[in-house]
Amino acid sequence: GQNIDQPTEMTATEGAIVQINCTYQTSGFNGLFWYQQHAGEAPTFLSYNVLDGLEEKGRFSSFLSRSKGYSYLLLKELQMKDSASYLCAVMDSNYQLIWGAGTKLIIKP
Amino acid sequence: DADVTQTPRNRITKTGKRIMLECSQTKGHDRMYWYRQDPGLGLRLIYYSFDVKDINKGEISDGYSVSRQAQAKFSLSLESAIPNQTALYFCATSDLGEVTGELFFGEGSRLTVL
């Protein structure tokens, strides 16, 4: 079967750095996505990786290793507004998105 | 105004009732999707449509039906609601021409079936 694994919850301190990991086992691979979802709101797109390596976008970076079935989202200079759930999703060989359950990130002052 | 609009935002209904959730979009995207989200689970695809004449079942289509009335409108129906259909429902769109396939979500419709 296909599955996406990510930690259920993480806690970090304002101003610090946090890394949210995602491992996947899917039928084929056509890209990995990270979305941010604030409580009670819609998910919003953060990043897309299809090749190995690091993609940097401001305070957020996303890394992919296809051979290891592994990605991480790195958040720097954490702000209180970064408190949210972070969803990892992989597009399989049929171009269907497989979603992880999400990682709830709690930021403490 | 939101680019992807869902109505109603909240609905409480009783077992056996028919419910329709509506989605409209102003993004001009061809592709539209209906997902449900449950605590502790990932988003699960119910139905999707790549154009007005195209309807496809997703991972969990049983108990649901959809209608693509126009490019901009995609409705989800529960013919006879049951309590385990209590969930947060999201409509989403994507652009055929966008290489990343980024999804744009509506604000969600919270459905409670008693």
Side-chain angles (χ1 to χ4, degrees), chain B residues 10-72:
Chain B
N10 287 283
R11 175 65 62 89
I12 300 174
T13 191
K14 294 182 178 180
T15 297
K17 295 292 188 181
R18 184 177 186 273
I19 289 293
M20 178 180 287
L21 306 180
E22 298 185 343
C23 177
S24 62
Q25 53 113 349
T26 58
K27 299 192 74 66
H29 290 169
D30 289 317
R31 300 182 172 193
M32 298 187 74
Y33 310 80
W34 275 104
Y35 283 94
R36 68 177 277 176
Q37 187 174 44
D38 298 276
L41 298 177
L43 286 162
R44 292 184 290 169
L45 183 63
I46 306 172
Y47 271 96
Y48 62 102
S49 168
F50 284 175
D51 67 39
V52 175
K53 297 180 181 178
D54 178 71
I55 300 290
N56 303 282
K57 292 183 177 180
E59 179 187 355
I60 54 163
S61 59
D62 287 350
Y64 302 94
S65 63
V66 291
S67 173
R68 184 82 184 266
Q69 302 96 321
Q71 187 206 34

Side-chain angles (χ1 to χ4, degrees), chain A residues 33 35 37 40-45 48 87 91 95-102, chain B residues 9 35 37 40-43 45 48 88 90 99-103 105-107 110:
Chain A
F33 297 78
Y35 281 78
Q37 185 178 23
E41 298 183 9
T44 55
F45 173 81
Y48 170 74
L87 314 181
M91 187 170 285
Y95 294 91
Q96 297 296 320
L97 272 178
I98 312 301
W99 294 83
Chain B
R9 295 291 312 282
Y35 283 94
Q37 187 174 44
L41 298 177
L43 286 162
L45 183 63
Y48 62 102
L88 182 58
F90 285 104
V99 66
T100 68
E102 175 187 351
L103 292 174
F105 286 86
E107 295 172 315
R110 185 168 297 280

Side-chain angles (χ1 to χ4, degrees), chain A:
Chain A
Q2 305 196 97
N3 71 286
I4 310 288
D5 288 318
Q6 48 182 135
T8 302
E9 186 174 296
M10 300 181 69
T11 302
T13 304
E14 189 177 16
I17 299 172
V18 71
Q19 177 175 310
I20 302 173
N21 296 325
C22 171
T23 58
Y24 62 90
Q25 291 178 309
T26 57
S27 302
F29 179 84
N30 280 300
L32 184 143
F33 297 78
W34 284 96
Y35 281 78
Q36 180 189 61
Q37 185 178 23
H38 286 100
E41 298 183 9
T44 55
F45 173 81
L46 285 178
S47 68
Y48 170 74
N49 294 69
V50 68
L51 299 176
D52 290 351
L54 187 68
E55 295 277 346
E56 297 185 79
K57 189 185 297 184
R59 293 189 299 115
F60 292 8
S61 302
S62 56
F63 171 83
L64 174 66
S65 169
R66 288 172 296 170
S67 63
K68 295 182 179 178
Y70 168 70
S71 173
Y72 68 73
L73 181 69
L74 191 71
L75 291 73
K76 302 177 183 177
E77 301 171 13
L78 285 169
Q79 302 175 9
M80 297 304 293
K81 67 178 181 179
D82 298 329
S83 292
S85 289
Y86 292 85
L87 314 181
C88 175
V90 173
M91 187 170 285
D92 69 11
S93 58
N94 295 318
Y95 294 91
Q96 297 296 320
L97 272 178
I98 312 301
W99 294 83
T103 299
K104 182 178 181 180
L105 178 62
I106 299 168
I107 310 296
K108 296 186 175 181

